[in-house]
Amino acid sequence: MARGLLFVAAAAAAVLTWIVNTRDPTEPFAVPGVVVAAAVATGALASFVALRLHPARTARGRASVRARRISLRRGAEIGGAVGLLAILRAADGLTPLTGAFVLLAFVAAETVVSARGA
C-alpha cells in the first residue's frame, strides 16, 4: 500500500510539474489541473506519512487494517483542505478568515469521525 501511495504522489507531482511548465494559466483547464494535482499529491504524501508513523502494527511489522483506514482518511482530508484552499486562492476569495473557517471545518470533521464511543 505504501508503494501505491508513493506512486500516486509521484504521478500527481509529475502531472503538476508538466502543467506548470507547459501550460499557460489562461488555458481553460490549467488552473483546475494544478489544483487537482496539488491536492492529490499532498493527500497521497500525507497518507504515506500517516501510514508510516501510525503505531498500530501487526506481528509482521505491517500496518493494520485500522491504521490503513485512518491514514487514507486523514490523507484525503488533508488533500481536500489543500484543494479547497487552492480553489479559494484561485478565485481570489482566500483571506485569513476564510482559510481559518475551512481548516476548522476539517479539524471538526476529523474530531467527530475519530471520536470513539464509550
Side-chain angles (χ1 to χ4, degrees):
M1 181 166 174
R3 289 181 188 159
L5 288 172
L6 283 178
F7 176 75
V8 168
V15 169
L16 177 66
T17 303
W18 177 75
I19 291 172
V20 168
N21 287 330
T22 63
R23 300 288 146 212
D24 189 49
T26 58
E27 290 183 18
F29 294 108
V31 174
V34 167
V35 169
V36 169
V40 169
T42 305
L45 283 177
S47 290
F48 175 75
V49 170
L51 185 64
R52 287 292 173 200
L53 295 179
H54 202 280
R57 299 268 176 203
T58 61
R60 293 185 178 182
R62 295 185 180 189
S64 66
V65 173
R66 183 174 177 271
R68 289 178 188 167
R69 256 193 333 233
I70 290 171
S71 67
L72 288 175
R73 183 186 73 223
R74 289 186 179 160
E77 289 172 350
I78 291 171
V82 167
L84 191 54
L85 290 173
I87 289 170
L88 284 171
R89 176 63 186 109
D92 204 23
L94 183 63
T95 65
L97 186 61
T98 58
F101 275 118
V102 167
L103 292 179
L104 284 175
F106 279 98
V107 168
E110 174 60 27
T111 303
V112 169
V113 170
S114 65
R116 292 188 182 190

